[in-house]
Amino acid sequence: MMLVPHTCVNAAVGRLFKSPVAAFATGVIAHAALDLMPHKDISAHKAEGLLVATMLGIIGTSCGFRSAPFWCAMGGVLPDVEQVLPWTDPKRGRHRWFPTHNRKRHSLQIPGAPDYTVRLLTQSAASMTALMLAVYKCRPSGAS
Ligand SMILES: [Zn+2]
């Protein structure tokens, strides 16, 4: 899955939580759940990194950098950090640790629809909708 939906969908899910710790744990699980879906990926790490950093900024400034939405989003982002680390790079004979980064548990096929994948456009549309839901009337606690 693109890193953008991991960020935005998780931020929206984070609205359901009060505790940033519970939101973070759920965010990591949500990362695995999205990775299991059949999907297209892009390898444009710098472009995605820029978008995700900006979105984390939007979520943090809207909801607060200690808020559940922000930390649920962080739980979605952090597992993919190993995708760019040299010491977890399969091309260098290393292996990745996060369960859904193993090829057998990544982007599973739907029985009866082996060619179905969630397209980049769909991922982007879902991400933008989720981002709006995540920050809609979200205020850092204590702010008026
Ligand atoms: Zn992942």
Side-chain angles (χ1 to χ4, degrees):
M1 190 68 63
M2 292 161 73
L3 194 49
V4 169
H6 280 308
T7 312
C8 297
V9 173
N10 272 29
V13 169
R15 288 296 291 269
L16 306 171
F17 289 84
K18 281 217 153 62
S19 153
V21 177
F24 180 81
T26 304
V28 173
I29 294 166
H31 183 105
L34 289 181
D35 271 355
L36 291 175
M37 292 174 65
H39 62 268
K40 280 244 182 300
D41 269 316
I42 55 172
S43 63
H45 292 138
K46 286 178 186 166
E48 275 215 292
L50 174 68
L51 291 175
V52 166
T54 304
M55 283 158 183
L56 287 173
I58 291 171
I59 297 157
T61 50
S62 300
C63 304
F65 286 96
R66 294 179 186 178
S67 67
F70 180 80
W71 283 99
C72 199
M74 286 295 282
V77 170
L78 285 180
D80 269 354
V81 170
E82 74 163 349
Q83 309 270 24
V84 295
L85 297 177
W87 49 91
T88 55
D89 188 348
K91 286 186 198 127
R92 301 184 196 206
R94 311 293 168 78
H95 80 276
R96 296 199 168 132
W97 294 95
F98 199 71
T100 56
H101 293 166
N102 181 308
R103 194 165 279 170
K104 280 180 246 143
R105 293 190 218 97
H106 190 90
S107 192
L108 302 181
Q109 287 185 350
I110 293 181
D115 295 332
Y116 179 78
T117 56
V118 181
R119 293 180 304 156
L120 298 179
L121 178 62
T122 311
Q123 293 182 45
S124 303
S127 298
M128 294 304 99
T129 307
L131 183 64
M132 285 190 272
L133 290 173
V135 300
Y136 178 70
K137 290 189 174 174
C138 205
R139 298 284 176 271
S141 56
S144 53

